[in-house]
Amino acid sequence: MKRSRRSLLPWGVALIAGLLGAGVGAVGAAERSGQALDLPPDMARIAAAGELRIALTTDDWPPFFFTHPTRGLVGLDIDLAREMAGRLGVEVRFVREAKTFDDLVTLVVSRRADLAVAYLSDTLERSVRAAFSQPYVQLKPAVLINRALAGQARRGPDLNALLNHPDATIGVTLGSSAETFAAIDYPQARLVKFEAWSDITRALETETLLAGFSDQIDAQKWQSEHPEAAISIETVMLAGPPDTIAVAVHFDDRQLRYWLDHFLAVKHRDGSLARLNHYYVGSDLWKKDLSASP
Amino acid sequence: MALLLIAGLVMVVPASRAAADLDEILQRQVLRVGLPSTESQPFLTTDSAGVLGGYEGELVRALAARLPVRLEIDRSAADADALVAAVRAGTVDVAFGQIADTLERARGVRFSRPYLHVREARVFDRMALARAGGEVPHLARQPVRVAVTAGSAFTESFRVAYPSAELVAFPGITEALAEVAAGRVAVFVADEVSVARWWQTHPASAIRLETRVHRERDVSYAAAVHWRAERLQAWLDLFFDKCERDGTFAGLRERHLETESPKEEVR
């Protein structure tokens, strides 16, 4: 009996070592990377995984993120996400599974992505589910108005009188921040929810919708693609508070959230955030570069 | 068996457990401050009575005056990287010492808002610069040797600016610049304040060395605290905000940093 007990000891040690090894698997892998031993749990998790998972929607949203025929995924958010991963010393992986913008938050909350860097507005509704970084882009709200229907409405030149009325129909994209903002700005209007922004512009063209509510990006994109339609559809940039685009992060990932804000502050300080904004949002430079590339 | 299990568990408890936030610091009535072991004009000096001076030394004294605790100075860390490591390990509550708030360090610690922004300066060997046709971008692409002071944040910016170069770390600015002057290293990267201070005592080196200040590259010095110490971080942020508003920072700059900056600029 004694002998057998003694002989069990090395097995016991091995078992404990194995259990401990399995229990601290993430830390173990991080340790092997050389510097993650005393990292905060969220940073250690990312270091151990060797990748930063970024949630995106299945739809393209140029110039934030979209698939280019030869260059693959490109855009402002893609540049930003790649730089974040590079600075964290890990690979980037895009989780392109969200059907709507609200789904992006779900991917972060359910831990299927570390961050959502995806043209996502930091609305108060979303902020009860996840934390947001400081904004990295500010966009002016914009409306597209069918001139013929506006004339028929006979409510004068005042935009608010035209839109904040029970007979007014305003199109918004389902699960977008415009849905919230339009409801706040025009509480009396009838909001019509569409799957995609292209459905809204089509409804405006066929005179089945008075107005479409979105931001300067959507409005500018539509204008540049349909210059002839300016006769029938008017674009108005609104003077209201800007829509702020920010990174969504899990509430429990406190150091990651701090790091994100620090990352954005450093980019603000060195001017690279302003340059990124100018390249993608303030100009057509990105379009010119892409059309020049094979 | 049980003993073994306990021993195993103790081994995996992270060292950061020792880290304290503001409530514990107030309770023990001691703030453990990490400062670099070496003196560095104009940032940190100690007079014969042991009183801290320089920009950071005075700042630490001002901070201590506003917290109802006793200061415990730990000067065992040799450089900024070692100070960050001490904060991460929880052996000090807060560290000062030309610690740039780099993104790499911010993975494992929290930084206060910066208390000083300085520009990046590069001191070139004129011969190396001449061989590159006087063009910094051309030199930056060559497999040259680049000097930094050990444990400084310029290692991070060096990797971006000189991707083909070999990095050499020296214990101090004097050792590093002696190598540049001897033609064994092409360029030394540091902050403009340290470089300007060195020039005051080495004016004759202008024959061999040329300083250029990078107008777009700021280095921001901040206090580092443990990643759990969010309250201490918030307190420091507020304290530094007040220092900005009440002229404390302006006074520190006037007393310690009013040196002639090199005028030439990179790009």
Side-chain angles (χ1 to χ4, degrees):
Chain A
M1 280 301 281
K2 261 187 176 174
R3 234 184 110 174
S4 69
R5 250 188 211 168
R6 238 183 245 150
S7 69
L8 268 176
L9 196 58
W11 289 104
V13 173
L15 185 69
I16 290 161
L19 284 171
L20 286 171
V24 293
V27 177
E31 230 181 294
R32 281 193 292 280
S33 81
Q35 36 176 203
L37 181 63
D38 54 352
L39 279 180
D42 46 358
M43 301 308 243
R45 185 190 76 227
I46 290 164
E51 61 177 22
L52 186 68
R53 298 164 304 157
I54 308 291
L56 297 177
T57 62
T58 48
D59 287 341
D60 279 350
W61 286 99
F64 285 87
F65 58 95
F66 56 103
T67 309
H68 183 264
T70 54
R71 291 175 55 183
L73 259 178
V74 289
L76 187 154
D77 285 330
I78 305 305
D79 286 359
L80 208 56
R82 285 191 199 284
E83 193 182 343
M84 285 173 191
R87 291 295 204 153
L88 289 169
V90 294
E91 298 292 316
V92 67
R93 181 156 71 84
F94 294 103
V95 181
R96 228 178 153 179
E97 293 171 9
K99 293 275 183 285
T100 68
F101 286 98
D102 286 340
D103 285 351
L104 291 165
V105 180
T106 307
L107 285 174
V108 170
V109 171
S110 64
R111 295 273 187 212
R112 279 176 285 161
D114 299 304
L115 303 171
V117 190
Y119 184 28
L120 183 64
S121 305
D122 56 357
T123 65
L124 292 168
E125 289 76 10
R126 290 175 188 146
S127 297
V128 300
R129 301 179 61 211
F132 278 93
S133 70
Q134 287 294 309
Y136 59 90
V137 173
Q138 300 200 2
L139 299 171
K140 291 190 198 91
V143 278
L144 265 57
I145 296 163
N146 181 295
R147 290 183 198 270
L149 292 179
Q152 286 167 25
R154 295 179 187 280
R155 287 195 287 273
D158 179 59
L159 190 72
N160 200 53
L162 175 70
L163 296 180
N164 193 20
H165 191 278
D167 292 341
T169 51
I170 302 176
V172 289
T173 314
L174 193 72
S176 75
S177 60
E179 207 179 318
T180 311
F181 297 142
I184 293 168
D185 291 355
Y186 310 110
Q188 298 197 47
R190 190 161 63 83
L191 293 192
V192 189
K193 292 167 188 181
F194 290 84
E195 285 285 322
W197 174 243
S198 56
D199 299 333
I200 295 175
T201 54
R202 202 168 306 118
L204 284 167
E205 285 169 322
T206 55
E207 294 192 8
T208 53
L209 187 71
L210 170 65
F213 191 105
S214 189
D215 61 36
Q216 68 180 90
I217 293 287
D218 281 340
Q220 283 163 356
K221 180 172 179 280
W222 189 82
Q223 266 181 324
S224 70
E225 286 169 5
H226 304 85
E228 76 295 340
I231 305 162
S232 54
I233 293 168
E234 186 188 1
T235 306
V236 184
M237 297 292 172
L238 300 174
D243 188 7
T244 41
I245 307 299
V247 182
V249 54
H250 197 285
F251 277 128
D252 294 343
D253 291 354
R254 298 173 74 95
Q255 186 72 10
L256 182 59
R257 181 190 181 182
Y258 158 75
W259 187 90
L260 279 174
D261 280 341
H262 191 56
F263 170 82
L264 292 170
V266 168
K267 283 187 75 63
H268 180 72
R269 235 153 56 187
D270 69 15
S272 60
L273 191 61
R275 283 196 293 275
L276 192 72
N277 262 281
H278 177 70
Y279 184 82
Y280 283 108
V281 180
S283 74
D284 272 347
L285 287 168
W286 63 278
K287 256 186 213 168
K288 287 182 187 132
D289 282 355
L290 278 183
S291 61
S293 85
Chain B
M1 186 85 168
L3 271 175
L4 274 172
L5 197 65
I6 288 162
L9 285 173
V10 168
M11 274 164 60
V12 295
V13 167
S16 51
R17 268 286 171 81
D21 202 352
L22 199 53
D23 41 357
E24 196 192 316
I25 292 162
L26 293 175
Q27 205 171 19
R28 72 163 118 90
Q29 297 188 323
V30 171
L31 179 71
R32 301 169 303 166
V33 180
L35 293 175
S37 54
T38 49
E39 304 277 285
S40 63
Q41 281 273 17
F43 294 101
L44 183 66
T45 55
T46 318
D47 69 11
S48 53
V51 178
L52 296 172
Y55 190 104
E56 289 171 330
E58 277 194 37
L59 191 59
V60 168
R61 277 168 41 213
L63 178 153
R66 304 303 296 269
L67 271 179
V69 295
R70 187 168 56 80
L71 268 191
E72 196 177 280
I73 305 289
D74 180 336
R75 297 193 67 166
S76 56
D79 53 47
D81 276 346
L83 285 165
V84 170
V87 168
R88 278 173 68 160
T91 55
V92 296
D93 302 316
V94 57
F96 291 80
Q98 292 162 268
I99 304 174
D101 60 353
T102 69
L103 289 166
E104 195 177 325
R105 289 173 178 160
R107 291 163 66 222
V109 294
R110 296 234 175 178
F111 286 109
S112 69
R113 52 149 283 183
Y115 54 78
L116 182 63
H117 297 282
V118 287
R119 291 178 300 176
E120 182 182 302
R122 298 179 188 178
V123 187
F124 293 92
D125 165 18
R126 284 186 190 275
M127 305 291 277
L129 201 55
R131 281 196 293 276
E135 296 288 327
V136 174
H138 186 56
L139 179 74
R141 283 192 295 273
Q142 293 178 358
V144 291
R145 297 178 88 210
V146 178
V148 292
T149 44
S152 85
F154 295 100
T155 316
E156 229 176 294
S157 65
F158 145 86
R159 282 195 211 108
V160 179
Y162 295 86
S164 316
E166 177 199 348
L167 180 75
V168 199
F170 292 92
I173 184 166
T174 307
E175 295 90 335
L177 284 174
E179 287 296 290
V180 181
R184 286 190 286 271
V185 171
V187 55
F188 170 66
V189 188
D191 73 65
E192 61 173 327
V193 175
S194 307
V195 169
R197 186 55 65 122
W198 180 85
W199 274 110
Q200 287 182 341
T201 50
H202 300 77
S205 296
I207 300 163
R208 185 66 197 248
L209 303 177
E210 177 179 328
T211 300
R212 296 191 184 185
V213 171
H214 207 301
R215 65 168 176 267
E216 281 182 2
R217 292 177 93 94
D218 252 9
V219 184
S220 301
Y221 292 143
V225 300
H226 193 270
W227 57 270
R228 284 190 221 268
E230 290 177 32
R231 293 182 196 178
L232 181 57
Q233 180 199 14
W235 188 90
L236 286 167
D237 281 347
L238 184 65
F239 174 66
F240 292 153
D241 279 346
K242 288 181 186 297
C243 286
E244 189 73 69
R245 287 196 292 267
D246 69 12
T248 302
F249 284 154
L252 288 171
R253 278 195 295 271
E254 205 180 295
R255 283 195 295 285
H256 302 291
L257 306 179
E258 293 296 296
T259 51
E260 192 65 19
S261 270
K263 288 290 181 284
E264 286 175 280
E265 295 192 330
V266 180
R267 258 183 280 162

